[in-house]
Every structure is written in C-alpha cells, then in structure tokens.
Amino acid sequence: MDYQATVWVNGQQVARHEGGHTPFSADLSGLWTPGDTLDIVVRAVDDPFDLAKPRGKQTWKAEPHEIWYPRTTGIWQTVWLELRPETHLAALTWTSNVERWAVQLQTRLDGPLSDGLRLRVTLRAGEQLLAEDEYRLTHPEVTRTITLRDPGIDAARHELMWSPEHPQLIDAVLELLEGGQVLDRVQSYTALRSVAVDQQHFILNGRPYPLRLVLDQGYWPRGLMTASSEELRQDVELTRRLGFNGARKHQKIEDPLYLYWCDVLGLLVWEELPSAYVFSTTSAQRLVREWTEAIERDRSHPCIVAWVPINESWGVPDLPLVPEQRELVRTLYHLTRTLDPSRPVIGNDGWEQVVTDILAIHDYTHLPEQLIERYGTREAVERSLNHVRPHKRLLALEGAARPQPAMLTEFGGLAYTTEDPGWGYSRMTSAQELQDSYTRLLTAVHRCDGLVGFCYTQLTDTYQEKNGLLYEDRTPKADLQMLGRATRGTRTPQEQERDPGMGDSGYNFIWRRKLQQAAERMQAMAED
C-alpha cells in the first residue's frame, strides 16, 4: 500500500501500516466466519509533497520530469485472504551455508504450543530426497541447521548449487504436526549458493564471478509499478536473452513474484531501498523501518546477492559537509550487515562512498577509450578515485575504507526512439547506431580489468527516459542476439573451461540437459 494504509473489517480497525513497498497483514479472528459477508474498507494516504518518505522514482510534481516518473497510490501488490489454524507457521527464513554444505531454517509459530507439537521438514532437488528431519517444538521460534550429504568434488557439487548458469532450487515442505495430524503445511524453497567479495573480485560459490547487470526501473505502460506474473517472467527472460546475468532493481522493492522468477530462471538481483529526498529525523526513521521490513521479507531469495540502501546521495545531499548524513549511511550499512551478514552492502551507490563492500561508480561518458583510461586497471581505478569526478562528485570520501572491488554500476544510457525524443545521456539516430555504440561501449568495459563487473543503463524505456535497450512495451530496439553477444563479451578461459558448450541461453550444459529431460517427461505424460 502506497504510502499509509488503514484497514477496517466489518466496522473494526484491523491494521495500520506505513511504508509503500513492504507488506502487512491482519488477523480477522472473531470478526468473520466462512459464509459471512466481509465489509472491507481501505484508506490510503499518499502525500505527493512529502519528500521525507521512501518514494523512489515517484515525482513530487504534477507531471513526470527528468528521471522521475508518475506518482502512484493505493494497492499495487497482491492481496489475499487465507484460513489458518489457531497454531500455524507465521514466518520462515532460509540461509545457505555452502562451506558446511548445509541450509539453515528459522521459523516462527503463532498460537498456543502443546506438548506434542512437532515440525517436519522435507527437502528435495527434483525427485531426489535430500533430507527429512523432524523436531519437537518447545518454543515459538525454531532455528535448525540441516546438513546435506556433501559429494565433495566440484563436478558433483555443481549438480546441486544455484547460479544464473544452473539455477537449481531445493524444494522444501514444512509440516506442523500434532498427534500425527497435520495442523499446517507450507511449501517453500531454498538453494545452495554463497556470495562474497575480496579486494579484487565478486565471488559466487567460492569462485570469482564477473557481474553483467542491467538497471531495471520496474515500470510498465499499463500497470505503472504493477505487473502480472507473466509480465514479470518476461522481463527476467528478456534480461537473460540480452546477455545479462543480473539486474539492479532501481529505487523499488519489487513484487516478490519477480524475485521468484529470478530464483527459478537464474538472474542475480541487487535490491535497492527507494530513496527519500530530504534529510531529517523523520526520513531517517522511515528509511530504517522500511528497509528492515524489506530485508526480512526478501533475504531468503537466493537471487539477491547485494543490498543497496542509498543511491547517489539521494536523501543525504550534503555527505561531504554534514557528519549526521554520513552517520545515516553508516547506520544503514551496518544495520544491513547485522540483519544479513551473508551479502555485500553498497552504502551509497554511485559516488561519495562513506562505507561500502563494493566501490560502486556511475560514469556516463560515451567515449569507450575514456572508460578504459579510467578503469582499465586497478591502478587506473585508484587514480580515478582521487582525480576523476564523473558527475562533479568525489567517488569516495576521505576515510572510506579501501581497498574494495570496484564496479561500474551505471553507465551507457544510449537513447534511441522513433517517436518522442525524450531524455537520455547520449542520443542515437538509428537502431544500427545504437547497436554499434552499445557494442563499442561493452567491448571497452569488458577490457577494464580494474572492474569486477558493470550495470548498464537501462533495460527498458520508462516514460520520458528513452535510454532502454527495449521499448516500454518490451520490443527490442536492435537485434536481440547481437546485443546479447555484446553484453556477454569475449568469454574468459575459465568460462570456456567450465563449460565449453555454453550457448546464447546463458545456461550451462548440465542445466540445459536437465531442462531437456524435464521437457521429455512432460511430453511423455501428455502422450499418456
């Protein structure tokens, strides 16, 4: 609900929530029985001029302007009603531990506990049973580590590990039992995958992993911030076909259905907190509250590999001058690391780094040779941190911890359209010019050994912004296959060795074989 919501059922207030991007619920016990009529009233309050709330790219003006889009209000994500037993599973979090070849579950029960209450957990990968554990419950909160059989050698381990090239999920069923009867049953999933950084690499599953991300605003022509499950799936599929292995979801806590499709289809995600636009005690409190709720909601998704609490000093516009603003960035960074120590955190994506795990740089130069000069080597990156101000901003403030891996997290912005000229960083006059310029830029970025990856701006046109590789309706602006090959660049010897049969799908041979076998089983079932 965007932004403040109050809900009444049959004349009684049942919920009040503040925050436009995170969920809330209400218990209707005593207010309703099956067969009754429900009178539901929802009031949404969304002050367009309140710049102290996390609002992301929603404009405070009457019309879209520059890089800000139409305002939204009301219900923009899924609403449902479900029956729950008096004692039920109320929350579930998964954490992967590849080093121990284990997964950890944390779950919370609501309702009274009886002496005979037990929790049964079953884990499967396809048809393979991985674990079936059962625990006696003596407390509403349960934390357990489930250690799986470690095959040892990498070639066998890869069959079970999750990555964009091999998005293997582990299906989970949790059953709450009492006296042999199932009180509550929850279907879920997790995955074995690890994320880390060192001074020179982003590391996925214990190996250096080059990041190829695209900036994704998450707006659609008809639904604005709201999309159907199929539209969300299409965006993930198109992102992969364009050669990217991840998306930086920009200034939006996306619908969980999008994260589900990223888990299933294999796409890395950087999750980013929508910004407020003024600095105050109120804005700080709101950012902390909504960010905490977002991390709690989404931390079980294997696709999420980084958290971004601040973008381009939005909401903290005087970082070099005001100590309190720097403390807010540090607070959000350390809060995020406390709530989820398993992922890197980018304190302020773009410039004026205060504290961060990845030096995230925004540089919209349209000159390929300038990118190589600035970021071609680690030494060049270090010089750029001290002497280059791509947007007249220091890339790192004095005292920011170094060294960290560096990444170009916004660049490109090549604008091409046959209609309204709109807005972009560099203007193209034809589809061929867009394709050629994109290829030159990506070739240069792939040559930048001082970077652990890149994030291109952007996936689609969004309102007045015309710098997408796709139009708003998701039609490609140039040859999709050629754009994808430019995105992937020249494969490294390590990639060739790991899978010489990697095709344009982006999936490795093991996963393509699994997909083929699954399709054959479905065909056989259809014929029967």
Side-chain angles (χ1 to χ4, degrees):
M1 183 69 64
D2 197 356
Y3 173 71
Q4 293 172 323
T6 309
V7 182
W8 293 265
V9 173
N10 293 343
Q12 295 193 38
Q13 182 176 319
V14 296
R16 189 178 188 280
H17 181 260
E18 182 176 297
H21 298 84
T22 51
F24 64 98
S25 62
D27 184 356
L28 305 188
S29 300
L31 299 177
W32 174 78
T33 57
D36 284 354
T37 298
L38 283 176
D39 180 19
I40 301 175
V41 176
V42 179
R43 180 177 67 192
V45 178
D46 192 7
D47 181 357
F49 306 110
D50 183 356
L51 300 185
K53 65 185 179 185
R55 63 189 301 137
K57 298 296 283 284
Q58 299 181 63
T59 183
W60 54 95
K61 296 185 178 182
E63 298 294 334
H65 62 104
E66 297 180 57
I67 59 171
W68 285 276
Y69 310 141
R71 300 192 298 261
T72 67
T73 189
I75 300 170
W76 70 278
Q77 288 195 18
T78 307
V79 178
W80 72 91
L81 185 68
E82 63 177 314
L83 291 172
R84 288 179 171 179
E86 185 179 16
T87 302
H88 57 270
L89 295 163
L92 173 63
T93 300
W94 294 102
T95 305
S96 174
N97 190 326
V98 172
E99 293 79 7
R100 295 182 60 186
W101 206 244
V103 293
Q104 182 187 75
L105 71 89
Q106 296 171 275
T107 188
R108 189 188 76 247
L109 275 63
D110 278 355
L113 292 180
S114 64
D115 289 339
L117 209 58
R118 302 184 71 84
L119 178 67
R120 182 163 62 207
V121 183
T122 305
L123 301 181
R124 296 180 183 272
E127 301 299 319
Q128 180 186 5
L129 178 66
L130 301 178
E132 188 173 82
D133 289 2
E134 193 168 309
Y135 318 110
R136 182 180 177 183
L137 301 182
T138 58
H139 193 273
E141 295 183 358
V142 180
T143 300
R144 292 290 185 272
T145 297
I146 304 174
T147 302
L148 308 178
R149 187 185 66 83
D150 187 351
I153 192 168
D154 279 354
R157 277 185 156 204
H158 290 161
E159 289 276 356
L160 196 55
M161 296 180 76
W162 187 97
S163 70
E165 295 75 29
H166 183 266
Q168 177 65 60
L169 296 175
I170 297 173
D171 295 317
V173 176
L174 283 75
E175 294 173 306
L176 190 60
L177 308 173
E178 184 177 38
Q181 300 295 315
V182 177
L183 296 183
D184 195 14
R185 187 174 189 270
V186 172
Q187 291 180 287
S188 181
Y189 63 85
T190 182
L192 279 170
R193 75 105 186 84
S194 65
V195 181
V197 295
D198 64 18
Q199 294 183 6
Q200 300 183 41
H201 305 98
F202 176 88
I203 299 170
L204 182 68
N205 297 332
R207 302 288 186 272
Y209 190 88
L211 293 168
R212 305 188 307 272
L213 309 187
V214 67
L215 196 74
D216 185 347
Q217 309 279 4
Y219 279 70
W220 286 265
R222 289 187 303 168
L224 217 65
M225 292 172 64
T226 302
S228 68
S229 179
E230 282 309 305
E231 286 173 322
L232 293 166
R233 175 174 183 153
Q234 180 191 37
D235 272 18
V236 176
E237 291 174 334
L238 283 168
T239 301
R240 288 189 56 93
R241 290 179 65 191
L242 281 164
F244 300 102
N245 56 25
R248 179 178 161 220
K249 214 51 164 163
H250 192 37
Q251 288 296 293
K252 184 184 181 189
I253 306 297
E254 189 53 275
D255 190 312
L257 277 171
Y258 174 83
L259 300 175
Y260 165 78
W261 285 121
C262 290
D263 291 335
V264 169
L265 300 175
L267 191 71
L268 305 178
V269 175
W270 283 26
E271 182 158 316
E272 183 175 318
L273 174 63
S275 294
Y277 287 100
V278 297
F279 176 76
S280 67
T281 301
T282 298
S283 68
Q285 291 171 339
R286 288 172 170 177
L287 289 166
V288 167
R289 180 173 57 246
E290 195 154 0
W291 192 226
T292 300
E293 292 177 357
I295 293 171
E296 181 181 0
R297 190 197 78 171
D298 292 341
R299 61 170 300 204
S300 292
H301 286 280
C303 66
I304 295 177
V305 295
W307 303 107
V308 184
I310 296 287
N311 172 72
E312 291 187 345
S313 304
W314 291 356
V316 281
D318 302 307
L319 281 179
L321 304 174
V322 180
E324 301 96 294
Q325 296 188 13
R326 296 195 293 275
E327 289 304 324
L328 177 58
V329 175
R330 291 191 185 101
T331 295
L332 288 168
Y333 170 88
H334 289 294
L335 171 67
T336 308
R337 295 287 296 170
T338 299
L339 296 174
D340 179 18
S342 71
R343 295 172 172 93
V345 180
I346 292 80
N348 180 26
D349 202 304
W351 48 65
E352 295 176 343
Q353 305 286 348
V354 176
V355 58
T356 190
D357 295 325
I358 297 175
L359 285 166
I361 300 167
H362 296 182
D363 189 335
Y364 281 102
T365 178
H366 65 283
L367 302 174
E369 60 274 16
Q370 203 164 59
L371 289 175
I372 297 172
E373 178 185 351
R374 292 174 176 176
Y375 313 112
T377 64
R378 285 291 301 178
E379 294 75 20
V381 171
E382 190 66 28
R383 287 194 304 272
S384 296
L385 289 178
N386 295 318
H387 303 294
V388 174
R389 298 190 180 195
H391 295 269
K392 300 181 180 180
R393 305 281 194 120
L394 283 170
L395 293 176
L397 299 183
E398 185 177 355
R402 299 186 199 172
Q404 304 101 335
M407 182 172 167
L408 196 58
T409 52
E410 285 190 30
F411 80 106
L414 304 177
Y416 167 65
T417 180
T418 58
E419 302 171 354
D420 175 12
W423 185 90
Y425 290 93
S426 303
R427 186 159 305 284
M428 306 291 106
T429 58
S430 68
Q432 188 62 53
E433 185 183 5
L434 171 65
Q435 184 171 301
D436 292 345
S437 296
Y438 181 76
T439 299
R440 286 193 295 270
L441 271 180
L442 270 293
T443 299
V445 171
H446 279 291
R447 289 179 55 192
C448 290
D449 294 333
L451 303 173
V452 300
F454 59 81
C455 179
Y456 180 81
T457 302
Q458 60 186 3
L459 181 63
T460 73
D461 286 357
T462 309
Y463 296 96
Q464 65 275 20
E465 285 197 58
K466 304 302 180 183
N467 49 11
L469 295 174
L470 310 173
Y471 290 105
E472 268 190 292
D473 65 1
R474 277 48 178 176
T475 302
K477 292 186 179 181
D479 185 272
L480 197 65
Q481 191 173 41
M482 295 299 293
L483 292 173
R485 288 177 180 172
T487 303
R488 294 184 188 94
T490 303
R491 295 176 61 203
T492 67
Q494 292 82 3
E495 288 175 319
Q496 291 278 9
E497 181 181 351
R498 189 162 62 240
D499 183 14
M502 185 83 74
D504 285 343
S505 71
Y507 294 127
N508 63 24
F509 173 75
I510 297 173
W511 192 249
R512 294 202 307 273
R513 183 181 61 194
K514 289 181 180 180
L515 291 176
Q516 182 179 359
Q517 290 171 346
E520 290 171 352
R521 286 195 298 270
M522 292 293 291
Q523 180 65 30
M525 291 172 61
E527 292 174 353
D528 290 343

